[in-house]
Amino acid sequence: MCKAIQEMYDDGVKDGIQKGKIELLKEQIQRKLKKEKTPTQIAEELEESVEVIEKIIKEMQ
């Protein structure tokens, strides 16, 4: 039983970390958009794919 609880905890921690990374990425994208950077420029600077950047930009609108 303890192993199952530990796995649930670990999954929750991973989810929290992932959500934190996405929020940070959104903040970075927002700042770069204010500087009138293109999604391609943002992707290069943040070392992400253009598709990921464009998806996040679309979600933020």
Side-chain angles (χ1 to χ4, degrees):
M1 185 65 173
C2 289
K3 187 174 180 178
I5 293 171
Q6 183 65 45
E7 288 176 1
M8 286 173 32
Y9 172 81
D10 292 344
D11 288 345
V13 170
K14 287 178 188 175
D15 287 346
I17 291 170
Q18 184 66 21
K19 287 178 184 177
K21 287 181 181 179
I22 291 171
E23 289 304 312
L24 176 61
L25 194 56
K26 285 180 179 180
E27 290 173 15
Q28 292 172 323
I29 291 169
Q30 194 74 284
R31 285 193 300 266
K32 291 181 183 298
L33 287 172
K34 286 181 182 178
K35 294 179 181 179
E36 299 183 8
K37 301 225 175 190
T38 66
T40 303
Q41 290 171 320
I42 295 171
E44 288 176 9
E45 291 177 11
L46 298 179
E47 298 181 355
E48 283 289 341
S49 71
V50 176
E51 292 80 18
V52 168
I53 300 300
E54 288 175 340
K55 179 181 175 187
I56 292 173
I57 290 171
K58 187 174 183 178
E59 289 175 0
M60 293 186 328
Q61 294 175 344

